[in-house]
Amino acid sequence: MDFIRLSRPLSQARNHWGITPPFCAEPRMNRTQLIKRMAQLSDLPQTTCKATLTQLEAVICKALHEGETVYLPKLGVFEIRHHLPRSGRNPQTGAEIQIPLRTVAAFKPASQLKQAVSG
């Protein structure tokens, strides 16, 4: 498939190529669908998969809260990033404002995941 411009709306891309391009928000897997897929692939009951996913989320959240970096081979790295305070401008009034320190969770995909997504 040729390069798809990101500026092309989903409906135009679907009409032009007859498919949903991989960069589009549709289709989207939600939590329930993820649990069902995990159960199918692992031959475990959905309740076990749901508990496992819940525990994984809790462990990652707690580790990030404590300042740890979580590395999952073949998937990527979850880490905390700090954005220093800076000055900015209010676009309506032009007045200078101070933007405070921000701490955000970030994910950096592993090279195997990048290769799997790009084809």
Side-chain angles (χ1 to χ4, degrees), residues 8-117:
R8 184 182 297 266
L10 175 61
S11 58
Q12 287 180 2
R14 192 179 286 133
N15 291 337
H16 182 73
W17 284 285
I19 60 165
T20 302
F23 61 82
C24 297
E26 300 178 285
R28 183 176 178 175
M29 183 184 292
N30 63 26
R31 181 184 175 86
T32 305
Q33 293 166 337
L34 175 62
I35 291 169
K36 286 180 182 177
R37 181 85 52 94
M38 288 172 59
Q40 289 171 352
L41 294 174
S42 65
D43 293 327
L44 293 172
Q46 287 186 22
T47 54
T48 304
C49 293
K50 183 177 182 179
T52 303
L53 182 60
T54 303
Q55 287 300 314
L56 177 65
E57 292 168 348
V59 169
I60 290 174
C61 287
K62 184 175 181 183
L64 292 177
H65 179 72
E66 294 172 354
E68 293 181 59
T69 298
V70 180
Y71 170 68
L72 300 172
K74 298 182 183 179
L75 186 63
V77 178
F78 292 92
E79 62 187 358
I80 293 293
R81 292 186 185 154
H82 303 283
H83 297 276
L84 297 175
R86 60 189 172 95
S87 59
R89 292 205 178 271
N90 181 332
Q92 292 180 339
T93 64
E96 189 169 308
I97 58 171
Q98 279 300 112
I99 301 171
L101 172 78
R102 243 179 2 136
T103 303
V104 296
F107 176 75
K108 181 180 177 189
S111 58
Q112 292 94 339
L113 180 59
K114 289 180 186 179
Q115 289 173 355
V117 171

